[in-house]
Amino acid sequence: MKMKHHLTALCALAILTFAARADLAIPGDGSDGALNITEDTVIDLSQAVTGTWNQNNTANAGKGVYDPDKWAIVFKYTSVNIAGHTTGAPAVLDGRTLKFKNHPSHAPVVWLVQGNVTIDGILNLNGQNGLMTLPEALIPIEAGPGGFRGGPGSPQGHGAGYGPGGSNAHWTGPSGQYAGTYGNPQIIPLIGGSGSGGTNEGVASGAGGGGAILIATPGTVSIGGSISAKGGYSPSNNAAGSGGAVRVIAASVAGAGSIYATGPTGAGSIGRIRLETNSLTTSLVTLPETIGVPPANSPIIWPATNAPKARVVSVDAISAPVDPRSPLIAAADVAIQNNAPVNILIETRDFPIEGVVQLAVIPKFGNRSWFTATRIGGDINVATWQVTTVLPQGFVTLQARATQP
């Protein structure tokens, strides 16, 4: 282990002294204008217009574009500034705070910035804490944008946390999981933390996972305050949502602030941080600890068009929406009335038929069950897989997962 640590230190030194490259090619037309936060602010992501991420957004400036194909809310800013604390105020105030209200899709946030990014205040993408009161605990608790919700709690049952690493419902622990469970160190695609399960011990909901953000600029990202993508905390069972994901692409990353993608208080899984830069200050605190990696001149923003994909396409012969929302209250993406076994079809694209396709069935109040799907047709380009099961009564979330050999 010591040799591994020493090798890591040498790699970090090499990166810090990496020769400067040509200007980074960051896409973006600046049509969302300048973001200048001088007071505590909440950006309502539901106000983003639905469209293509690279379309000109002058008519909706400052509200972003939701691209369902990329599953992201994209802002194309000229510059970004989140102000620090005012002169004479205690430094512990940490300046102005920018938060987000989720889009119905719960998509992550992407900032494509033409100029510099200064964060002397707080950029908050934290998951929300679990609740111990009715009726609030009956509703899955919100994650940060790009993260996954915590499971609800009720007197008659409690639900599992959502997301690839969501924990089952429980009396005490465990927490939602992220790093080492899903995703990749490149954070492509951009995806946040998973939620923890609810409990009927005091009727409490689980906590939401930390959100996810990509900040890309050909200039400097200066962090004197903090970027926080922590999971929320569930006080009734000492569980937590997992940390989210923060990816930064910039010519240089400076400042003595911090980036956190962890559980809230040591509980919960860590998330991921990736810093693609030619110059990284040693005074920046990152948890989990992260080194810089040199960026490509044309950084990869989105997954390749031929990246493997899997999605639920129908339930009991009823088509599922391409852009599901899983509201879990008063409405559903698919409504069925059937107590008998139903066929659930999953479509994969650019995925080898030797792979394994699984389906998680997550009732709103109850633990998840995993099923292995059977391929019924198609090839590596497009294939159809099937799971046949009796679905629980009430709201149910379906989550497809494909694993390559």
Side-chain angles (χ1 to χ4, degrees), residues 307-313 322 345-351 356-358 383 385 399-403:
K309 303 176 185 67
R311 73 178 189 93
V312 176
V313 294
V322 175
L345 299 185
I346 300 168
E347 177 188 88
T348 59
R349 291 181 176 270
D350 300 299
F351 180 76
V356 176
V357 175
Q358 295 175 295
W385 309 69
Q399 173 189 315
R401 179 171 69 185
T403 305

Side-chain angles (χ1 to χ4, degrees), residues 88-348:
V92 71
L93 294 179
D94 287 331
R96 306 301 176 233
T97 297
L98 174 60
K99 296 181 180 180
F100 300 94
K101 179 181 178 182
N102 275 328
H103 188 271
S105 67
H106 292 85
V109 175
V110 173
W111 286 355
L112 304 176
V113 187
Q114 293 179 327
N116 292 331
V117 175
T118 301
I119 301 173
D120 286 332
I122 302 172
L123 177 55
N124 185 330
L125 300 105
N126 296 341
Q128 295 183 10
N129 296 332
L131 298 173
M132 299 180 65
T133 56
L134 292 175
E136 292 83 3
L138 298 173
I139 303 171
I141 201 70
E142 285 294 297
F148 298 90
R149 289 167 285 180
S154 79
Q156 51 275 35
H158 36 288
Y162 296 91
S167 67
N168 271 332
H170 47 75
W171 289 93
T172 58
S175 300
Q177 298 294 307
Y178 184 2
T181 301
Y182 61 95
N184 55 64
Q186 291 73 36
I187 318 183
I188 301 174
L190 186 64
I191 187 170
S194 293
S196 63
T199 174
N200 59 7
E201 181 181 7
V203 190
S205 58
I213 190 169
L214 164 62
I215 301 172
T217 173
T220 296
V221 174
S222 178
I223 305 171
S226 67
I227 302 175
S228 183
K230 295 181 179 181
Y233 181 65
S234 184
S236 70
N237 50 22
N238 196 34
S242 76
V246 178
R247 183 182 176 205
V248 176
I249 305 171
S252 62
V253 177
S258 60
I259 303 176
Y260 291 104
T262 63
T265 57
S269 170
I270 60 172
R272 297 185 190 276
I273 299 173
R274 182 172 176 85
L275 305 177
E276 299 176 35
T277 181
N278 292 315
S279 175
L280 174 60
T281 178
T282 58
S283 56
L284 182 69
V285 175
T286 60
L287 288 176
E289 289 188 320
T290 307
I291 63 172
V293 295
N297 284 348
S298 296
I300 298 173
I301 304 296
W302 311 110
T305 55
N306 63 346
K309 303 176 185 67
R311 73 178 189 93
V312 176
V313 294
S314 70
V315 181
D316 199 25
I318 301 175
S319 295
V322 175
D323 183 26
R325 302 301 174 85
S326 188
L328 296 175
I329 181 171
D333 294 309
V334 176
I336 65 171
Q337 300 180 54
N338 195 339
N339 292 324
V342 301
N343 292 325
I344 302 167
L345 299 185
I346 300 168
E347 177 188 88
T348 59

Side-chain angles (χ1 to χ4, degrees), residues 2 17 39 53 60 75 113 138 166 178 184-185 189 204 221 237 297 362 370:
K2 288 186 178 180
T17 59
E39 59 184 21
W53 69 272
N60 198 49
F75 295 87
V113 187
L138 298 173
Y178 184 2
N184 55 64
V221 174
N237 50 22
N297 284 348
I362 312 170
W370 282 99

